[in-house]
Amino acid sequence: MMHPEAIETLIRQGMSCTHVEVDGDGRHFEAVVVSAELAGKSRVQRQQRVYETVRAQLDSGELHALSLKTYTPEEWSARG
């Protein structure tokens, strides 16, 4: 069973982030990822970039579902 902290670590190790939040029940998770790497990318490209960081866990079934909200630092700041 995966823990939110483990997923957060994988995302942070796999890409440069200014903010990551992960919550979930052990199989289904939600993450908020803020990264300058996401600038200029479509919503699908942003999600693909984050999924790259947890691909092995998704492929093995260790991580069943990950819902994403992705932002650039500027978008995150504008949210207040």
Side-chain angles (χ1 to χ4, degrees), residues 55-63:
R55 176 63 51 211
Q57 290 73 22
L58 288 167
D59 289 348
S60 72
E62 183 179 10
L63 174 57

Side-chain angles (χ1 to χ4, degrees), residues 1-66:
M1 179 168 75
M2 298 236 24
H3 295 280
E5 298 82 14
I7 296 168
E8 180 178 335
T9 298
L10 289 168
I11 294 170
R12 287 187 181 277
Q13 288 175 343
M15 61 188 292
S16 175
C17 300
T18 56
H19 181 80
V20 179
E21 293 175 29
V22 180
D23 190 29
D25 64 7
R27 293 207 17 108
H28 299 88
F29 295 90
E30 297 179 354
V32 175
V33 179
V34 181
S35 174
E37 287 186 37
L38 303 175
K41 293 187 179 348
S42 71
R43 183 175 150 210
V44 170
Q45 290 171 323
R46 290 175 179 207
Q47 291 180 347
Q48 289 171 335
R49 176 65 187 103
V50 178
Y51 285 142
E52 287 174 14
T53 67
V54 293
R55 176 63 51 211
Q57 290 73 22
L58 288 167
D59 289 348
S60 72
E62 183 179 10
L63 174 57
H64 179 70
L66 178 62

